[in-house]
Amino acid sequence: GSLAIDDAGFPAGALTASITKPVGLVNFLGDIGALDRDEVDAAIAAFGLMAVAGNGVISTPIEFANGEARIGEITIARLGRVG
């Protein structure tokens, strides 16, 4: 993928990530407060199904826009301005 800096100074674009053991990532996002308990439960179910379909690996784009990094509809990070 590729990233650039948008007019507001935030990273913009997309990168493809391969994620193994997605449950660990989802629990981490819950631990840091990026997801609430209901979102964690829903994400574990969804990512679990995706991982089964992908032989234990999820390949997905991480999208960067408007100061956030997202996998689908899930914000995984709030980003600072660059520069």
Side-chain angles (χ1 to χ4, degrees):
S2 64
L3 293 177
I5 305 302
D6 68 15
D7 291 340
F10 292 109
L15 300 174
T16 299
S18 294
I19 304 167
T20 57
K21 300 180 182 176
V23 171
L25 172 63
V26 173
N27 283 325
F28 169 73
L29 294 173
D31 290 346
I32 65 169
L35 301 175
D36 66 31
R37 188 73 237 165
D38 290 337
E39 291 169 325
V40 167
D41 292 342
I44 285 173
F47 285 170
L49 290 173
M50 292 170 64
V52 168
N55 293 319
V57 177
I58 297 172
S59 291
T60 186
I62 299 176
E63 298 177 6
F64 298 81
N66 303 316
E68 296 180 334
R70 301 175 65 88
I71 296 175
E73 295 299 315
I74 300 171
T75 300
I76 60 170
R78 288 177 178 67
L79 307 171
R81 287 186 167 84
V82 177

